[in-house]
Amino acid sequence: MAQKKALLILHGKQATNEQVRAAVSVMRERGWPLDVRLTWEAGDAARWVEEALAAGYSHIVAGGGDGTLRDVAEAMARAQGKAGLVLLPLGTANDFARAAGIPLEPEAALALLDAPAQAIDLGQVGQQIFLNMATGGFGSQVTANTSEDLKKVLGAAAYLFTGLSRFSELSAASVELHGPDFQWQGELLALGIGNGRQAGGGHVLCPQAQVDDGLLDISILPAPQEMVGTLRSLLSDGLGLDNLFVRARLPWIEIKSSQGLDINLDGEPLQGDSLRFEALAGALRVHLPPDSPLLSHRG
């Protein structure tokens, strides 16, 4: 790369965000050549990543919600370029950013351009790559069915509101999971396959997950007989039911469900009756805080 320069790939809805504009100006004043491109439709993020790498940008910034961050991370991982990724969280949940200790203020987040890049893992299922987490069961349905308008009004609490209002639709999923020296079969209420630790607006499903260990953290919440009461506690207590979870840390895991399983992949819906998830070790260079809780060797 000829020089140190950055390209911000910004979700189109954030084009008038004055905090982002001010933060970009500050970084330019600090000597960073920082260009901005907007996304408006599917495929834009991948196109801008391709053009940034071809133009020799040393850093790419993903500005938006969890879906935008995933799209940019996926495109960079597929391109296998040398640029480092900086995350500018601008969504409602910002689950990966919060778990990683990335500041939610735009200026502080962009300051990570000056932090060293860390090689981190990504998750993959089929041909899709994810940065944070795949969730299944009722929790993923709550995330998928929480409206954008409700999130604007209530923020992360919108997920709790949606979950509490959908008791009548609650049903357990019958699944079989297996991986290296691991097998589990039964009915589950919630499932997390995490590179990160939380999903759905702050629900910590995989509390010990690390992004540089080459493993995915698996968390299974078996379905008890009194599912409605369990869901009420699950949502209101922030998934504080650690003693009920079955957990594992694996390089890969396969899931089978005869009736099909709804999966939420960093905000994107996925459905299938036989899915294989695997960790892509060290697949992407990301500029995280040196003391990020998601790093196994902090500092």
Side-chain angles (χ1 to χ4, degrees):
M1 298 177 193
Q3 59 177 320
K4 186 172 72 171
K5 57 180 181 177
L7 179 71
L8 166 58
I9 300 175
L10 184 66
H11 192 286
K13 291 182 179 179
Q14 301 293 335
T16 58
N17 188 319
E18 293 300 326
Q19 285 188 308
V20 173
R21 287 176 176 266
V24 169
S25 296
V26 168
M27 296 309 297
R28 286 171 175 168
E29 291 171 0
R30 293 179 184 175
W32 268 97
L34 179 54
D35 298 322
V36 182
R37 302 288 185 271
L38 299 178
T39 65
W40 293 104
E41 56 190 3
D44 281 353
R47 177 166 58 86
W48 289 130
V49 166
E50 182 179 354
E51 293 187 12
L53 295 175
Y57 283 90
S58 59
H59 296 65
I60 295 176
V61 183
D66 289 322
T68 299
L69 272 51
R70 182 195 68 85
D71 288 346
V72 174
E74 179 178 27
M76 291 180 66
R78 293 192 187 285
Q80 298 183 333
K82 296 181 179 179
L85 174 62
V86 174
L87 303 177
L88 174 59
L90 300 170
T92 302
N94 299 314
D95 282 305
F96 184 84
R98 290 179 187 275
I102 295 171
L104 300 184
E105 299 76 17
E107 184 177 329
L110 284 182
L112 289 174
L113 283 164
D114 294 314
Q118 310 279 349
I120 73 163
D121 311 329
L122 295 173
Q124 180 170 332
V125 51
Q127 298 301 311
Q128 293 183 264
I129 292 174
F130 60 97
L131 172 66
N132 183 41
M133 187 178 296
T135 58
F138 185 74
S140 63
Q141 297 172 26
V142 168
T143 303
N145 287 287
T146 301
S147 74
E148 292 298 323
D149 289 340
L150 194 62
K151 286 191 282 187
K152 289 178 182 177
V153 175
L154 298 179
Y159 298 102
L160 170 61
F161 180 87
T162 302
L164 293 174
S165 67
R166 298 175 68 90
F167 281 149
S168 62
E169 302 174 31
L170 179 58
S171 61
S174 179
V175 300
E176 178 183 348
L177 299 92
H178 78 273
D181 299 319
F182 176 82
Q183 186 163 353
W184 188 89
Q185 184 173 0
E187 293 189 338
L188 60 78
L189 188 60
L191 167 69
I193 301 175
N195 190 42
R197 295 184 175 181
Q198 64 184 56
H203 296 156
V204 180
L205 277 169
C206 303
Q208 302 301 320
Q210 296 173 328
V211 294
D212 56 355
D213 60 359
L215 301 171
L216 294 172
D217 277 47
I218 317 301
S219 291
I220 304 164
L221 182 62
Q225 293 182 347
E226 192 60 43
M227 289 185 293
V228 171
T230 297
L231 179 63
R232 187 183 298 276
S233 299
L234 182 79
L235 292 170
S236 61
D237 296 342
L239 294 181
L241 302 173
D242 287 341
N243 59 320
L244 297 181
F245 276 94
V246 175
R247 303 193 192 276
R249 308 183 79 185
L250 305 169
W252 60 267
I253 190 165
E254 293 183 351
I255 305 175
K256 295 182 179 179
S257 176
S258 58
Q259 74 271 38
L261 185 66
D262 291 316
I263 297 290
N264 187 284
L265 203 66
D266 285 358
E268 294 296 323
L270 174 68
Q271 188 176 51
D273 53 17
S274 181
L275 300 169
R276 177 185 171 95
F277 295 81
E278 59 184 308
L280 303 178
L284 188 64
R285 296 173 64 249
V286 180
H287 298 262
L288 297 176
D291 60 349
S292 171
L294 294 186
L295 296 174
S296 60
H297 302 291
R298 303 182 195 179

